[in-house]
Amino acid sequence: MELKHLIYAFINILNEMSPYILLGFLIAGLLQVFVSPAKLSRHLAGGGWKPVFKAAMFGIPLPLCSCGVLPTAVALRRQGASKGASTSFLIATPQTGVDSIAATYALLGLPFAILRPIAALTGAFAGGLAVDKAERGTGKDGDENATDECPDGTCCTAVSTAPAPQGSIIQKLVAAVKYGFGDMVASVGKWLVIGLVIAAVITVAVPDTLFLSLSRYPVLAMLVMVAVAVPMYICATGSIPIALSLMLKGLSPGVAFVLLMAGPAANFASVMVLRKSLGARATSIYVGSVVVTAMAFGLLIDYLLPASWFTPFGSAAASTVSCHVELGVFTTACSVLLVALLVAAYIRHRKESRAFRMALSADSNYQSTITNNINQQTTMKTVYTVEGMACNHCKATVEKAVGAVNGVTSVAVDLASGRVAVEGDHDAAQVAKAVADAGFTLAHSHAE
């Protein structure tokens, strides 16, 4: 594998995607600022098909990955959303997003970009209705494995996402730009880069004949793709260049579509958190809906729709095969801007992690002793280890949840290590509960 060809493939795919990714980030910021989570939860309460349908429609444009959607769904659930609506939101949101829909159009074409949200809506609606029906059959909105601790709604506002910024329209637009080109880039940047690198490697290094045998058996290829995609963590946008590379190597469009839908929506970490938050029954329906819908639409693409609709197009596909770079002025400028935003997010992340470690080491009272006993009142600074955080959205959720605990005066979260430093006269058991309510797991605490 020549490094030159690898770089060519990477640049071509990046140039094709970057304008649409930047547009998606901007729209994501606007959604974050102008759409209130409290209003969403009011629309998602109650039984029947309407809350389930609304949850899917709300979730489709939101650019949240499978880890970022978990605390949001938990918050909506605790604000009164039904389990059916929460499940629908969980299925639809990570599979799509304004950024990934735009990037899908850029690399894979309009039919893929149209079918992707339709498949997400179909799977989310079917899965949400199935959960709603199953829960009505038990006579309660829950099951024996769920951990819903506020059935009367008295504590259902304990966890919520950040409120929309207040102020003039200009201030809100500035906040939208900061969120879209700051927080969103930091949240999905890592997985976007991983997806681009994997796509470039597949394009250059994998022989064209490798997938020819699988291409003759689409159903088997889809099952293999599900087995690979479900445990793999990759965001909706990061999966697009990988799908393109697999299609260029001979896999059918339907198989690539399975990767687009199953990969972002389900991974082992998400499933474990969902089982704890919604119960085993709802989680099983969730996973089943994702897999069945992805394969059903994959078969539809391969057997019923014209093959000409799903031929890779654009400069990325053409120039990748011919091993040269197409450098348009606008697309190159967008790529440079996107790379600059990714680098800035990485530098900021490193600085925050370094500052967190320095703050701990500067405290002469800090001890490295680990205690598993969190059921104690403490006035010391305590450093907790929280499992399941994978993006800035997760970080903000944990900060807000722990900061709401009585007696907590300050909270600092280091996303890289999963450590959460808490100061104040607080009950460690309440911190553990707040973390669990937010959809994460408290592993242990480092006590000072």
Side-chain angles (χ1 to χ4, degrees), residues 16 19 96 100 123 128 131 174 199 221 327 359 379 388 440:
E16 197 74 22
T96 58
S100 62
V131 168
V174 170
L327 295 177
T379 59
F440 303 94

Side-chain angles (χ1 to χ4, degrees), residues 332-402:
T332 301
C334 290
S335 296
V336 170
L337 176 58
L338 179 58
V339 170
L341 292 172
L342 291 169
V343 172
Y346 175 77
I347 293 174
R348 185 170 64 251
H349 173 73
R350 295 287 296 178
K351 286 183 176 179
E352 290 174 353
S353 297
R354 189 181 304 113
F356 184 92
R357 292 192 299 270
M358 291 178 64
L360 291 182
S361 60
D363 193 329
S364 59
N365 294 323
Y366 180 75
Q367 302 173 6
S368 60
T369 304
I370 297 176
T371 175
N372 291 317
N373 180 18
I374 62 172
N375 294 308
Q376 56 184 336
Q377 187 77 16
T378 177
T379 59
M380 302 176 294
K381 177 189 290 184
T382 306
V383 181
Y384 300 91
T385 298
V386 176
E387 296 178 345
M389 295 189 298
C391 67
N392 278 4
H393 188 89
C394 303
K395 174 184 175 181
T397 301
V398 171
E399 286 178 343
K400 183 176 179 64
V402 175

Side-chain angles (χ1 to χ4, degrees), residues 11-363:
I11 293 176
N12 284 321
I13 297 173
L14 176 64
N15 269 11
E16 197 74 22
M17 292 180 66
S18 57
Y20 298 92
I21 293 176
L22 292 174
L23 176 62
F25 284 155
L26 177 60
I27 297 175
L30 296 173
L31 289 172
Q32 170 69 16
V33 170
F34 291 100
V35 178
S36 167
K39 291 181 180 179
L40 290 184
S41 63
R42 287 197 295 271
H43 285 283
L44 306 186
W49 66 270
K50 288 185 179 180
V52 173
F53 181 78
K54 289 179 180 179
M57 292 300 293
F58 285 142
I60 285 173
L62 295 180
L64 291 175
C65 57
S66 60
C67 71
V69 73
L70 291 174
T72 304
V74 170
L76 291 174
R77 171 69 180 145
R78 292 191 171 276
Q79 288 175 341
S82 67
K83 275 198 175 180
S86 299
T87 303
S88 178
F89 183 82
L90 282 165
I91 294 173
T93 306
Q95 291 183 326
T96 58
V98 288
D99 56 333
S100 62
I101 293 173
T104 300
Y105 169 75
L107 279 192
L108 300 176
L110 184 60
F112 267 115
I114 293 175
L115 283 175
R116 197 170 186 183
I118 291 176
L121 175 62
T122 302
F125 187 60
L129 285 181
V131 168
D132 190 58
K133 182 177 180 180
E135 300 306 332
R136 285 204 308 270
T138 65
K140 56 181 180 177
D141 188 21
D143 65 31
E144 66 281 2
N145 297 302
T147 56
D148 190 357
E149 296 160 353
C150 53
D152 59 355
T154 57
C155 63
C156 285
T157 58
V159 180
S160 67
T161 52
Q166 303 298 316
S168 66
I169 187 67
I170 299 299
Q171 291 173 317
K172 290 184 176 181
L173 289 175
V174 170
V177 171
K178 287 183 178 179
Y179 178 83
F181 295 144
D183 293 347
M184 272 299 301
V185 173
S187 295
V188 307
K190 173 183 175 181
W191 308 109
L192 174 61
V193 172
I194 290 175
L196 289 169
V197 171
I198 292 175
V201 171
I202 291 175
T203 301
V204 175
V206 176
D208 293 342
T209 57
L210 181 62
F211 294 110
L212 290 180
S213 57
L214 274 180
S215 64
R216 292 194 293 267
Y217 307 98
V219 175
L220 176 60
M222 289 177 190
L223 291 173
V224 172
M225 189 59 67
V226 167
V228 172
V230 169
M232 178 177 62
Y233 183 91
I234 189 165
C235 71
T237 303
S239 65
I240 299 167
I242 301 177
L244 171 65
S245 299
L246 292 174
M247 289 174 60
L248 292 174
K249 291 300 178 180
L251 281 181
S252 70
V255 177
F257 192 82
V258 171
L259 171 65
L260 290 176
M261 304 307 293
N267 59 71
F268 288 149
S270 299
V271 169
M272 293 300 100
V273 175
L274 285 176
R275 190 180 187 281
K276 181 178 180 180
S277 301
L278 297 181
R281 183 184 297 107
T283 302
S284 298
I285 294 173
Y286 167 86
V287 175
S289 298
V290 170
V291 173
V292 171
T293 304
M295 293 190 62
F297 273 81
L299 293 172
L300 172 69
I301 290 172
D302 281 346
Y303 288 102
L304 297 180
L305 297 179
S308 59
W309 287 7
F310 304 98
T311 302
F313 78 108
S315 60
S319 56
T320 296
V321 175
S322 58
C323 294
H324 70 276
V325 179
E326 296 285 346
L327 295 177
V329 175
F330 176 71
T331 57
T332 301
C334 290
S335 296
V336 170
L337 176 58
L338 179 58
V339 170
L341 292 172
L342 291 169
V343 172
Y346 175 77
I347 293 174
R348 185 170 64 251
H349 173 73
R350 295 287 296 178
K351 286 183 176 179
E352 290 174 353
S353 297
R354 189 181 304 113
F356 184 92
R357 292 192 299 270
M358 291 178 64
L360 291 182
S361 60
D363 193 329

